[in-house]
Amino acid sequence: TSTSGTSCTVTMTANKTVSVAYTPAYSLSVNSSGATAVAITASSATYAGTTNYSKTGILSGTSVTLTAPASAGTTKFKSWSGCTSTSGTSCTVTMTANKTVSVAYTPAYSLSVNSSGATAVAITASSATYAGTTNYSKTGILSGTSVTLTAPASAGTTKFKSWSGCTSTSGTSCTVTMTANKTVTATFGP
């Protein structure tokens, strides 16, 4: 006659048949690589936690959206795996079985760009994000990122001579592959 949560109340006015239905419940494990103890938020706070954690008893068909922070310590968000779909730092999982998802982080480094023989030299870059006027630094550059910097042929009354600290050079260009914190210097002279 009425239900409340897991209870069913039947008023016996005739022969009655009642049935209880169960649906599978699954577990969701949320792991991280490249960073530890990452605080994950969720579409329902029930599913949030600090990696590596598991949530159990999730009803079949439930959709869970997990969101990782853009950075964790000195690392930056790279990707999710095991998700039904992803968008930016978010992972959506549709619970149709026990699932394991993992968020990957990669080291982030700083790049310092200096000049000698000239000051306040405008450096252009393959991505404007890394351009600037010497002496400057850019932080939070993902491991493996390749940055190409180009110095002008002359600065004031001095001429470009060379780059130092680069992975490779070509003319006035310096390419740096970010595998650690790096410092490069453009040298100018008469």
Side-chain angles (χ1 to χ4, degrees):
T1 307
S2 67
T3 60
S4 175
T6 59
S7 298
C8 169
T9 302
V10 179
T11 303
M12 296 303 295
T13 56
N15 292 330
K16 301 271 178 132
T17 301
V18 295
S19 182
V20 61
Y22 286 88
T23 187
Y26 299 115
S27 66
L28 173 63
S29 296
V30 183
N31 300 321
S32 62
S33 65
T36 57
V38 178
I40 304 295
T41 59
S43 51
S44 167
T46 304
Y47 307 120
T50 301
T51 61
N52 297 326
Y53 69 93
S54 291
K55 298 293 180 173
T56 59
I58 305 171
L59 295 181
S60 179
T62 300
S63 180
V64 178
T65 299
L66 305 167
T67 303
S71 60
T74 60
T75 64
K76 287 204 145 197
F77 171 83
K78 183 178 181 185
S79 63
W80 278 101
S81 62
C83 309
T84 305
S85 65
T86 60
S87 176
T89 60
S90 293
C91 163
T92 300
V93 182
T94 302
M95 299 302 294
T96 55
N98 292 328
K99 301 274 179 133
T100 299
V101 298
S102 185
V103 58
Y105 284 83
T106 189
Y109 299 116
S110 65
L111 173 62
S112 296
V113 183
N114 299 322
S115 61
S116 69
T119 57
V121 178
I123 304 294
T124 59
S126 51
S127 167
T129 304
Y130 307 121
T133 301
T134 61
N135 298 323
Y136 69 94
S137 290
K138 299 293 181 173
T139 60
I141 304 172
L142 294 182
S143 178
T145 300
S146 181
V147 178
T148 299
L149 305 166
T150 303
S154 61
T157 59
T158 63
K159 293 193 182 297
F160 173 81
K161 295 284 188 186
S162 64
W163 278 101
S164 62
C166 308
T167 306
S168 65
T169 60
S170 176
T172 61
S173 293
C174 163
T175 300
V176 183
T177 302
M178 299 302 294
T179 55
N181 293 327
K182 301 276 180 125
T183 298
V184 297
T185 303
T187 301
F188 290 82

